[in-house]
Amino acid sequence: MNLGALDWQIFYGWVAVGLFSAVLSFLSCFRVMALAEKSGMIAEPGERQSHQISTPTGGGLGLIFSVVVTSMCLQFVLPVPVFWWQNMLPGILLLTFVGWRDDKYSIPWLVRLLVQLAVSIWLLSFGPLQLSLSDVGLFSTAVLAAVWMMNLYNFMDGSNGMAGFQGVFAGVVLAVLFQSGGQAAPALIALAVAAACAGFLPLNFPRARVFMGDAASVPLGFIFASLAVYGIQTGSLSLHVSILIMAVFIVDATMTLLARVIRREQWYTAHAQHVYQRLIAQGWSHHRVLVVYQAINVILVLPAVVLAEIYPQYAMATVGFTFLLLGVCWQVANQRLGMLAEVHLK
């Protein structure tokens, strides 16, 4: 990893792109917040929610708008990969539209799932991986992984700042890795995503004036899955590093789902059983929960990413150890909270 590639010219370019995306995101999200209030797009408190006051939702539409506009502006400076225009952007726009409609009217889960499957198949069938449908096992696994990334990011968007700060962390890490791999345009796109998430945060943390909603959480999951696909194909990322970047979200969402399946609950229904939701239910503030999750990113996940990048021969062991440690933490947290088998939402 050649961090020396980040020279001053690149630094100034990053600052310009980051500021543009962040400011545009803030202004757009602020405007969407007003539109959501006027349209009656209000998330009400409930047993499946971690907030206690009625709050507008769908504000993340401005975030996605910023990412799209910033990418279009980048095209005037340096060539943005065809993969972005052909494989990623159509899926982002479709998911954003469906997510906004779902935030406003509530779309049946089957329709949402079919859309997610469609954009994932498009991404992988026509993307640089050039996967053949004859390779059913690998293709199906990749599609399901992309769909799961969209949903887990949506599941983890239930606490003030949670999805936004994760977007900043993942976007910045991806930007550095792409830049060090000689992929300047994808690096700036990843940076634009991180900056757009940062621009949204003043409206969502520490007090949530608006929620991100499906209009942004699902597309963000798709964006990170897509950048991983592109990075793996171009050699800028390894599969192990790609998985590590989202380790905190992957472990909490996946283990919570598995626990519900094991307990024979209706795992496909809405719930509030993720660790971060249980901590809030026990009286933790949103701020405190966020600090814990992002501290894990900085103290555990980031060093693991660096280790796997510098010593690829140990990447698999690094992923295994990281996920094992996170899994143990998840289990201990549930046992300490005393709610592993006690939270059953009606």
Side-chain angles (χ1 to χ4, degrees):
M1 183 167 59
N2 181 20
L3 296 181
L6 297 176
D7 59 23
W8 284 108
Q9 183 177 3
I10 293 175
F11 173 77
Y12 291 135
W14 279 37
V15 170
V17 170
L19 285 176
F20 178 82
S21 181
V23 172
L24 180 59
S25 176
F26 175 79
L27 295 176
S28 301
C29 290
F30 187 85
R31 180 67 184 90
V32 173
M33 179 178 69
L35 177 63
E37 289 180 317
K38 185 177 180 180
S39 303
M41 296 172 59
I42 307 296
E44 301 293 345
E47 60 182 1
R48 293 175 174 83
Q49 307 295 332
S50 297
H51 63 284
Q52 299 178 343
I53 61 174
S54 300
T55 306
T57 189
L61 177 65
L63 185 161
I64 300 300
F65 174 77
S66 174
V67 173
V68 172
V69 171
T70 302
S71 68
M72 291 180 175
C73 294
L74 285 176
Q75 184 65 40
F76 294 103
V77 181
L78 75 171
V80 175
V82 175
F83 181 75
W84 167 262
W85 304 110
Q86 176 179 301
N87 308 102
M88 289 182 63
L89 189 58
I92 293 170
L93 295 178
L94 179 57
L95 289 169
T96 302
F97 172 77
V98 172
W100 173 263
R101 297 285 294 184
D102 189 42
D103 288 333
K104 189 172 184 179
Y105 300 112
S106 185
I107 295 177
W109 68 270
L110 182 58
V111 174
R112 300 197 304 270
L113 178 59
L114 290 175
V115 170
Q116 292 167 8
L117 285 170
V119 298
S120 299
I121 291 172
W122 175 268
L123 174 75
L124 293 165
S125 295
F126 299 92
L129 286 181
Q130 297 179 348
L131 292 174
S132 171
L133 287 176
S134 61
D135 194 355
V136 177
L138 178 59
F139 185 84
S140 300
T141 300
V143 168
L144 292 176
V147 171
W148 180 230
M149 181 59 69
M150 295 180 231
N151 283 281
L152 73 84
Y153 208 97
N154 183 36
F155 296 158
M156 296 298 290
D157 177 31
S159 176
N160 298 352
M162 181 67 73
F165 271 99
Q166 182 65 27
V168 173
F169 173 79
V172 170
V173 172
L174 284 169
V176 173
L177 292 174
F178 274 125
Q179 182 63 49
S180 64
Q183 297 287 332
L188 289 176
I189 289 176
L191 178 67
V193 174
C197 289
F200 169 75
L201 283 172
L203 301 175
N204 185 249
F205 182 83
R207 182 176 70 88
R209 299 171 61 188
V210 66
F211 293 147
M212 183 178 291
D214 289 5
S217 60
V218 176
L220 277 176
F222 177 75
I223 288 172
F224 290 127
S226 303
L227 289 175
V229 170
Y230 181 81
I232 292 169
Q233 174 60 25
T234 58
S236 303
L237 302 174
S238 69
L239 176 61
H240 302 100
V241 169
S242 301
I243 294 173
L244 280 171
I245 293 172
M246 299 298 295
V248 173
F249 271 27
I250 292 173
V251 170
D252 196 350
T254 303
M255 293 196 68
T256 299
L257 176 65
L258 291 176
R260 300 193 75 212
V261 171
I262 292 172
R263 295 197 298 267
R264 298 183 179 180
E265 298 179 11
Q266 292 181 326
W267 55 268
Y268 47 85
T269 59
H271 64 89
Q273 298 186 33
H274 295 288
V275 169
Y276 76 90
Q277 292 171 318
R278 292 174 171 178
L279 289 171
I280 292 172
Q282 288 292 295
W284 283 42
S285 67
H286 289 252
H287 178 269
R288 186 181 178 188
V289 172
L290 177 66
V291 168
V292 169
Y293 272 70
Q294 290 309 310
I296 293 173
N297 269 337
V298 173
I299 297 172
L300 176 62
V301 175
L302 185 57
V305 169
V306 174
L307 181 62
E309 183 72 10
I310 297 177
Y311 302 104
Q313 65 271 31
Y314 302 124
M316 183 175 295
T318 302
V319 171
F321 175 78
T322 302
F323 274 75
L324 176 62
L325 186 56
L326 288 174
V328 170
C329 291
W330 182 93
Q331 181 69 19
V332 170
N334 278 284
Q335 291 178 338
R336 291 286 181 86
L337 292 171
M339 291 187 291
L340 184 59
E342 294 177 12
V343 178
H344 295 284
L345 299 178
K346 305 297 184 181

